């Protein structure tokens, strides 16, 4: 499909569904599911004022949330959305927000509903044509996932009931004359099998959104946006790490502005085994990217000495990262002085992606707290001389991989497991030292090689070996040992916002454990992390 070449952001060039986030752990899944339907969507705080938007959504979805609308400080939607012509879909708490604006008849249910439920759908033939559009072609009953304690005590004025369960007689409502709907269940989760069809009904049939969000369309638009942003002579210095995000971002930048993009890999001493050499080979030989490797390992490790707090680690690494880049930008500008490339380097490229932005921001406004500072977002100093260019900022990980394939990057690189900006520093719990880094590299190399040998590397979304700051007694031969503990972490995930631990066979775990303890005499015990996200994060720090 041909698209209009423009430097506008995606929400101005693609039909966009706005998701107002009230704090549900599934809010981001609404965004993901719509994008899977090739419909662009964005997530903003639930209290976002529509008058402050620079773009106009095709429709609005109010997410779920952990609140009760009748509580004093419960977050509520901007009332202005009900005075405009936007189609609206309220999900769980979002349904209750709609009801609260039309009668306030929401109360705590006598029986809470968590898990699977059967919803009966009601038809309204002969009434307003739009009422049945949300649930069209879904049948008479659907299996859904419920997660609520409160419920509607009555159908709000101006609405009719379109769905019910034994415990929730108003599990779905629709306005009689306007395209406003509310449902008590979660269509975005896999436990609601026909949920994706319901979301399509809303976005395509009710909102009229076009399904034109594809990486094939995005690549040309993003190249145009990058060119417009940096100008005809602007030079960009690009942060690369060897991970899929920075590799795709660097390839995109190189295609957009060619020799005016200079890629720099900061060897901070926290990289994986032979990472610097592998990145140089990949980017320079395969894609012709102008790459320089800067060895700043002594500088980073000196500043990390004695530091054990994970947030402090991230801030130190982020600060040094920017300082090194600013220094390198000056060197590049000086080297180009008097040539056709003369001029200052004013821009810094980073491989920030959408989950980084969500996790590092209080995306739910005052109603949430930051999970952690991401090196590519929250770890940056507030004052820096370089302007940041983030060509992947609106993309989820799967979209980044699809974009990489669109750019011609080989599959083995596109599907490489993510590696965090702070590197091994956050896979070493406690102080980062050269000896602990050596352990982390070796354990990780063993783990990755076994995943590849087992043929399951692609099945695992992300995996690594972390070094814990505790010791345990062991037996080596006939002697007592007292070594450290390695914690293996492996998850399966589609979006890196939620994740489940990967179910390995007993034989596989035994083989990895034996290799680590046999090949690494400093390690006396190997453990496997069985924590999902939430409540944990994928990385340990």
């Amino acid at each position: 499909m041909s698209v209009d070449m423009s430097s506008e952001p995606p929400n101005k060039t693609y039909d966009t569904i706005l998701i107002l986030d009230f704090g549900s752990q599934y809010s981001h899944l609404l965004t993901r599911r719509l994008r899977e339907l090739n419909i662009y969507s964005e997530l903003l705080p639930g209290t976002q004022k529509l008058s402050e938007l620079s773009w106009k959504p095709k429709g609005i979805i109010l997410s779920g949330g952990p609140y009760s609308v009748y509580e004093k400080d419960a977050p509520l939607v901007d009332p202005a959305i009900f005075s405009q012509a936007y189609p609206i879909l309220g999900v769980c708490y979002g349904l209750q927000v709609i009801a609260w604006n039309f009668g306030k008849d929401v109360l705590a249910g006598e029986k809470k509903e968590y898990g699977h439920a059967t919803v009966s759908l009601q038809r309204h033939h002969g009434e307003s044509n739009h009422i049945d559009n949300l649930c069209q072609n879904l049948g008479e009953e659907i299996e859904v996932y419920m997660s609520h304690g409160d419920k509607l005590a009555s159908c709000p004025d101006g609405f009719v009931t379109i769905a019910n369960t034994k415990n929730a007689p108003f599990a779905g409502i629709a306005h009689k004359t306007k395209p406003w709907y509310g449902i008590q269940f979660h269509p975005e989760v896999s436990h609601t099998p026909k949920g994706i069809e319901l979301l399509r009904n809303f976005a395509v049939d009710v909102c009229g959104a076009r399904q034109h969000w594809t990486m094939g369309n995005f690549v040309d638009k993003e190249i145009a946006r990058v060119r417009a942003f940096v100008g005809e002579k602007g030079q960009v210095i690009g942060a690369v790490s060897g991970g899929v995000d920075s590799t795709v971002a660097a390839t995109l930048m190189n295609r957009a502005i060619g020799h005016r993009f200079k890629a720099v890999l900061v060897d901070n001493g926290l990289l994986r085994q032979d990472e610097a050499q592998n990145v140089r080979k990949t980017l320079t030989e395969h894609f012709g990217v102008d790459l320089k490797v800067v060895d700043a390992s002594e500088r980073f490790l000196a500043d990390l000495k004695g530091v054990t707090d994970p947030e402090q680690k991230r801030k130190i690494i982020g600060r040094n990262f920017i300082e090194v880049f600013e220094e390198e930008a000056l060197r590049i500008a000086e080297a180009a002085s008097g040539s056709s490339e003369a001029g200052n380097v004013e821009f810094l490229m980073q491989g920030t992606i959408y989950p980084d932005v969500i996790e590092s921001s209080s995306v739910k406004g005052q109603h949430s707290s930051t999970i952690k500072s991401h090196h590519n977002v929250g770890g940056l100093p507030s004052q820096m001389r370089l302007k940041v260019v983030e060509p992947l900022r609106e993309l989820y990980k799967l979209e980044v991989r699809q974009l990489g394939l669109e750019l011609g990057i080989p599959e083995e690189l596109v599907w490489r497991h993510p590696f965090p900006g702070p590197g091994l520093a956050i896979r070493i719990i406690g102080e980062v030292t050269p000896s602990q880094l050596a352990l982390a590299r070796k354990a990780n190399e063993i783990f990755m090689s076994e995943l590849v040998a087992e043929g399951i590397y692609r099945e695992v979304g992300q995996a690594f070996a972390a070094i814990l700051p505790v010791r345990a007694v062991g037996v080596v031969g006939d002697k007592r040992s007292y070594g450290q503990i390695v914690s293996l972490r492996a998850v399966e995930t589609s979006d890196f916002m939620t994740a489940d631990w990967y179910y390995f066979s007993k034989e596989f775990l035994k083989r990895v454990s034996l290799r680590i303890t046999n090949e690494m005499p400093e390690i006396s015990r190997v453990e496997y992390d069985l924590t999902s996200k939430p409540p944990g994060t994928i990385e340990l720090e």
Side-chain angles (χ1 to χ4, degrees):
M1 176 187 292
S2 62
V3 293
D4 175 38
M5 291 294 287
S6 163
S7 61
E8 297 285 359
N11 56 33
K12 288 189 175 181
T13 54
Y14 294 92
D15 290 350
T16 303
I17 301 297
L18 169 62
I19 292 146
L20 294 179
D21 180 11
F22 288 99
S24 169
Q25 61 178 314
Y26 304 121
S27 296
H28 67 91
L29 280 177
L30 287 166
T31 313
R32 275 291 314 276
R33 295 296 177 253
L34 288 167
R35 294 195 187 187
E36 289 170 6
L37 290 167
N38 301 121
I39 300 165
Y40 186 68
S41 57
E42 285 193 5
L43 189 70
L44 291 176
T47 53
Q48 171 72 46
K49 292 188 179 299
L50 297 186
S51 61
E52 297 174 355
L53 294 179
S54 62
W55 52 281
K56 185 176 181 180
K58 293 290 289 186
I60 299 172
I61 297 179
L62 311 181
S63 84
Y67 310 97
S68 293
V69 290
Y70 46 77
E71 292 177 342
K72 180 181 178 182
D73 296 321
L76 297 174
V77 74
D78 176 12
I81 74 167
F82 298 111
S83 64
Q84 302 187 41
Y86 297 114
I88 300 169
L89 172 64
V91 174
C92 197
Y93 180 80
L95 160 70
Q96 295 159 20
V97 168
I98 292 175
W100 198 248
N101 276 270
F102 294 91
K104 295 184 169 54
D105 206 0
V106 179
L107 47 74
E110 295 179 3
K111 295 181 179 179
K112 302 180 185 299
E113 282 188 300
Y114 296 104
H116 291 277
T118 299
V119 169
S120 298
L121 303 179
Q122 300 178 26
R123 307 299 178 189
H124 295 265
H125 304 294
E127 299 185 38
S128 297
N129 292 333
H130 75 281
I131 292 178
D132 292 334
N133 288 351
L134 183 69
C135 298
Q136 63 182 338
N137 302 320
L138 299 186
E140 300 301 318
E141 289 186 342
I142 57 173
E143 298 302 312
V144 303
Y145 180 78
M146 290 279 197
S147 179
H148 71 98
D150 296 340
K151 65 179 184 180
L152 274 60
S154 64
C155 190
D157 291 342
F159 287 78
V160 295
T161 304
I162 59 173
N164 65 80
T165 69
K166 292 180 179 179
N167 185 49
F170 310 105
I173 61 173
H175 196 275
K176 293 178 180 178
T177 61
K178 302 178 186 297
W180 299 343
Y181 307 87
I183 51 177
Q184 189 63 74
F185 53 91
H186 288 273
E188 68 273 29
V189 301
S190 58
H191 301 305
T192 301
K194 293 187 176 181
I196 193 72
E197 297 174 45
L198 186 148
L199 290 173
R200 184 202 172 280
N201 287 344
F202 176 72
V204 177
D205 297 332
V206 176
C207 300
R210 290 173 292 171
Q211 296 172 276
H212 59 156
W213 169 251
T214 67
M215 290 304 97
N217 286 343
F218 175 81
V219 63
D220 290 336
K221 281 181 169 289
E222 192 60 19
I223 286 173
R225 184 156 63 134
V226 167
R227 289 171 177 166
F229 184 70
V230 304
E232 294 182 0
K233 297 183 177 180
Q235 293 197 64
V236 180
I237 187 171
V240 298
S241 66
V244 61
D245 299 337
S246 64
T247 298
V248 172
T251 305
L252 182 69
M253 291 296 298
N254 192 57
R255 182 173 293 189
I257 61 174
H259 67 274
R260 291 188 287 126
F261 169 62
K262 315 291 183 182
V264 176
L265 170 65
V266 176
D267 186 351
N268 54 15
L270 309 171
L271 301 178
R272 290 170 286 196
Q273 189 73 35
D274 301 324
E275 188 77 11
Q277 299 93 309
N278 292 336
V279 172
R280 186 193 299 273
K281 182 177 181 179
T282 297
L283 290 180
T284 57
E285 294 184 14
H286 287 275
F287 305 112
V289 175
D290 187 352
L291 172 69
K292 180 174 183 180
V293 178
V294 180
D295 186 356
S297 55
E298 292 185 5
R299 175 175 179 168
F300 278 80
L301 293 179
D303 277 6
L304 287 169
K305 187 174 182 179
V307 177
T308 59
D309 179 73
E311 276 298 290
Q312 192 176 356
K313 287 182 187 179
R314 288 176 176 272
K315 298 293 185 181
I316 289 171
I317 293 167
R319 184 190 70 245
N320 276 283
F321 173 81
I322 290 298
E323 290 174 355
V324 170
F325 261 79
E326 289 186 331
E327 294 163 8
E328 193 57 35
L330 291 175
R331 294 191 186 97
I332 290 175
E334 289 173 2
S337 179
S339 71
S340 60
E341 300 176 359
N344 293 330
V345 176
E346 301 177 15
F347 302 94
L348 167 66
M349 181 215 76
Q350 287 196 307
T352 308
I353 64 174
Y354 203 44
D356 297 338
V357 177
I358 293 173
E359 287 197 348
S360 294
S361 304
S362 293
V363 73
K364 308 162 194 77
Q366 62 180 324
H367 304 292
S368 75
S369 59
T370 299
I371 298 172
K372 61 186 177 183
S373 296
H374 274 269
H375 167 59
N376 279 355
V377 184
L380 303 184
S382 57
Q383 299 295 325
M384 65 180 198
R385 293 187 294 273
L386 296 175
K387 302 172 187 176
V388 175
V389 182
E390 298 172 315
L392 311 180
R393 186 181 177 89
E394 292 94 356
L395 305 185
Y396 283 98
K397 179 69 72 174
L398 180 58
E399 292 170 324
V400 173
R401 297 191 196 281
Q402 292 169 341
L403 178 60
L405 295 174
E406 192 73 30
L407 291 168
I409 300 175
E411 279 197 22
E412 61 269 23
L413 297 178
V414 166
W415 288 99
R416 195 178 186 197
H417 288 184
F419 188 64
L424 296 176
I426 58 172
R427 293 179 178 177
I428 296 171
I429 311 305
E431 183 180 3
V432 180
T433 66
S435 62
Q436 294 293 284
L437 285 165
L439 293 178
R441 290 191 180 102
K442 181 62 176 176
N444 186 76
E445 183 181 24
I446 291 172
F447 193 19
M448 293 304 105
S449 66
E450 289 297 333
L451 286 174
V452 173
E454 188 75 4
I456 56 175
Y457 183 86
R458 280 276 297 271
E459 292 180 21
V460 178
Q462 186 169 347
F464 58 89
I467 307 299
L468 304 185
V470 292
R471 294 179 180 273
V473 173
V475 177
V476 178
D478 295 326
K479 295 182 179 180
R480 175 184 182 275
S481 67
Y482 191 51
Q484 283 188 255
I485 298 175
V486 165
S487 177
L488 302 179
R489 179 80 162 135
V491 299
E492 51 184 356
T493 177
S494 61
D495 50 34
F496 294 87
M497 294 296 293
T498 61
D500 290 322
W501 55 274
Y502 187 86
Y503 192 90
F504 289 117
S505 68
K506 175 183 175 182
E507 291 73 20
F508 176 83
L509 290 173
K510 182 178 181 179
R511 187 165 65 249
V512 174
S513 178
L514 283 174
R515 278 198 62 189
I516 290 175
T517 52
N518 286 340
E519 298 177 30
M520 301 176 66
E522 305 90 344
I523 304 301
S524 65
R525 196 158 301 191
V526 177
E527 298 180 346
Y528 183 45
D529 189 334
L530 301 181
T531 311
S532 296
K533 176 186 180 181
T537 54
I538 294 178
E539 297 289 344
L540 270 64
E541 290 192 338

